[in-house]
Amino acid sequence: AADIGRAIDGTGDGTGEPRRIAVSGVADLSDVYVSTTNLNTFRENDTLDRWLELTGRCWETRAFGDFWQHCLVAEGVLDLAVDPAASTWDLAAIQVLVEEAGGRFTDLAGTATFAGGNGMSSNGLVHDAALRCFGP
């Protein structure tokens, strides 16, 4: 019965009290679990080689895509998520969510904005190393 209570209240402790989500503590790019959306978007934006550079340095890659992947970063399930093209309304809430969980959100140029036309969320520890893969 206790397991059912934990599953229902979502806290994992059966109390029903809310719990703060937090990003992961992974600090090395080679240990990062990274996600993106559709690979064709990187092709269309002529950044596929940069995405492959990043994923070649990471431990694991999946494509959970869009809003959900950034939520998984905020919850600490993923360490890094990259949106090669996104609208402001797709990313505005994400920036707040990730930062409140202790992470970092920028566009691919490294500016802390949800209005850059693309976005990267991370636990903060691996953000700069990941950005360097997309740098000039």
Side-chain angles (χ1 to χ4, degrees):
D3 289 339
I4 292 172
R6 281 191 284 275
I8 291 171
D9 71 27
T11 63
D13 63 8
T15 66
E17 293 298 316
R19 66 177 173 83
R20 186 170 201 76
I21 60 174
V23 296
S24 75
V26 171
D28 192 287
L29 205 54
S30 65
D31 294 325
V32 162
Y33 193 178
V34 61
S35 176
T36 191
T37 55
N38 187 339
L39 283 181
N40 287 328
T41 308
F42 288 102
R43 283 187 191 98
E44 293 163 4
N45 291 313
D46 199 29
T47 55
L48 182 58
D49 58 334
R50 293 175 182 199
W51 169 251
L52 294 175
E53 168 80 16
L54 173 63
T55 59
R57 294 178 181 205
C58 294
W59 166 69
E60 185 69 59
T61 304
R62 293 283 187 261
F64 294 106
D66 299 330
F67 182 84
W68 182 241
Q69 67 185 357
H70 300 288
C71 292
L72 293 174
V73 169
E75 193 174 359
V77 175
L78 294 174
D79 310 302
L80 179 68
V82 180
D83 258 317
S87 298
T88 300
W89 54 82
D90 293 324
L91 301 176
I94 293 299
Q95 184 171 7
V96 174
L97 180 68
V98 169
E99 290 175 356
E100 282 295 314
R104 185 171 166 199
F105 185 90
T106 68
D107 63 13
L108 295 179
T111 303
T113 181
F114 56 80
N118 52 53
M120 177 184 292
S121 64
S122 78
N123 63 9
L125 301 172
V126 297
H127 205 91
D128 288 334
L131 280 174
R132 282 192 287 277
C133 293
F134 288 93

